């Protein structure tokens, strides 16, 4: 069985504008390399969050990450749930700036690396990350960010990135026709070096691609 794609360096993120093989964005392959962990989701958008919105995001993020007195994580879980609701209330332009704040290296991914945190807390954080991804008009920078964490994150980060990816692929309101074949390439590259504990989650994500994007799934094996 053959798999198309670049076997060294990065998997290219294809665009779809007449030619399916036009290349634009990159998924890092699952290799032992130091990927650049800072992503910018703002790009050329000059729109800015108002001060109240930005303060709310930073306040909720601090409650999620810095509430050391919350030993059972109940208040942190509540803050993560509040963040999901807040994210869903943002406009598209505001969401881009919120994503740039929440997914920077000092942001939500730190919560997933917290070794003391219960799984219920990390699930709530993952749902906030999913809410961000569902609202972005251009998912490419987010997918680059996600695959970078899938490649070089800890066990819990990888587990929850696979959850987010599966849910993102399975949402009819968030079509990923242009990205589906490269998502398959990224998952197959991850499978080459992953620990067996991730197998079920990767197969679940691939099944969603096969169900929702059968042509792209088949193309990945030509």
């Amino acid at each position: 069985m053959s798999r198309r794609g670049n076997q060294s360096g990065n998997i290219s993120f294809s665009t779809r504008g007449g030619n399916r093989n036009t290349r634009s964005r990159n998924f890092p392959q699952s290799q032992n390399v130091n990927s650049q962990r800072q992503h910018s989701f703002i790009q050329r958008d000059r729109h800015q969050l108002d001060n109240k919105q930005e303060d709310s995001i930073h306040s909720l993020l601090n409650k999620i990450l810095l509430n050391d007195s919350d030993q059972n994580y109940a208040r942190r879980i509540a803050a993560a749930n509040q963040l999901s609701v807040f994210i869903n209330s943002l406009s598209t332009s505001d969401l881009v700036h919120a994503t740039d704040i929440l997914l920077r290296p000092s942001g939500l991914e730190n919560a997933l690396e917290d070794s003391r945190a219960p799984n219920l807390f990390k699930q709530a954080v993952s749902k906030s990350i999913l809410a961000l991804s569902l609202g972005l008009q251009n998912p490419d920078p987010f997918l680059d960010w996600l695959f970078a964490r899938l490649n070089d994150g800890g066990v819990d980060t990888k587990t929850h990135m696979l959850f987010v990816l599966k849910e993102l692929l399975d949402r009819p309101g968030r079509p990923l026709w242009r990205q589906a074949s490269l998502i398959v390439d990224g998952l197959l590259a991850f499978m080459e070096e992953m620990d067996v504990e991730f197998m079920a989650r990767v197969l679940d994500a691939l099944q969603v691609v096969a169900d929702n994007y059968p042509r792209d799934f088949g193309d990945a094996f030509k």
Side-chain angles (χ1 to χ4, degrees):
M1 177 176 61
S2 64
R3 179 175 66 86
R4 65 178 180 79
N6 186 356
Q7 295 300 320
S8 62
N10 291 337
I11 293 177
S12 296
F13 204 122
S14 65
T15 60
R16 186 172 177 176
N19 183 352
R20 287 176 60 86
N21 293 321
T22 303
R23 307 296 186 186
S24 66
R25 300 210 50 87
N26 294 318
F27 280 157
Q29 285 203 19
S30 185
Q31 295 178 349
N32 218 353
V33 295
N34 293 322
S35 62
Q36 184 179 359
R37 296 187 66 83
Q38 178 66 51
H39 286 69
S40 177
F41 298 87
I42 294 176
Q43 299 177 344
R44 297 181 181 179
D45 186 357
R46 296 182 179 180
H47 177 84
Q48 297 292 327
L49 285 168
D50 65 41
N51 290 336
K52 184 177 180 180
Q53 288 175 319
E54 187 165 353
D55 287 347
S56 296
I57 291 171
H58 284 291
S59 175
L60 288 169
L61 186 59
N62 287 338
K63 289 178 180 178
I64 291 169
L65 296 177
L66 303 177
N67 196 348
D68 291 336
S69 63
D70 182 27
Q71 295 186 2
N72 65 2
Y73 284 76
R75 291 192 295 275
R76 297 192 197 209
I77 292 170
N81 290 333
Q82 290 172 22
L83 180 60
S84 293
V85 173
F86 184 78
I87 289 168
N88 288 330
S89 73
L90 294 175
S91 68
T92 301
S93 295
D94 290 339
L95 189 65
V96 173
H97 288 268
T99 303
D100 210 56
I101 294 169
L102 293 168
L103 298 189
R104 62 184 51 167
S106 59
L108 290 175
E109 66 179 284
N110 282 352
L112 300 178
E113 297 285 0
D114 184 351
S115 60
R116 301 172 302 166
N119 191 52
L120 189 61
F121 168 68
K122 296 184 180 184
Q123 288 175 344
V125 171
S126 297
K127 289 177 181 178
S128 291
I129 295 173
L130 177 62
L132 289 171
S133 71
L134 291 172
L136 293 170
Q137 285 188 335
N138 177 16
D140 291 2
F142 175 82
L143 288 167
D144 281 342
W145 177 88
L146 183 148
F147 271 88
R149 274 73 203 159
L150 190 59
N151 288 339
D152 63 16
V155 171
D156 283 351
T157 295
K158 292 178 179 180
T159 297
H160 289 282
M161 290 301 98
L162 289 168
F163 161 78
V164 171
L165 182 60
K166 175 180 175 292
E167 292 297 313
L168 181 58
L169 285 163
D170 207 22
R171 298 298 174 101
R174 168 80 277 184
L176 296 171
W177 292 106
R178 186 168 59 81
Q179 296 84 9
S181 62
L182 272 298
I183 290 173
V184 175
D185 283 345
L187 287 171
L188 293 177
F190 175 66
M191 287 179 70
E192 292 174 0
E193 298 184 10
M194 72 177 186
D195 294 331
V196 68
E197 64 188 291
F198 300 114
M199 179 63 73
R201 289 183 178 272
V202 172
L203 293 178
D204 285 345
L206 288 172
Q207 184 63 58
V208 174
V209 180
D211 291 342
N212 295 342
Y213 308 95
R215 177 184 173 186
D216 298 281
F217 182 80
D219 285 350
F221 296 96
K222 290 181 179 179

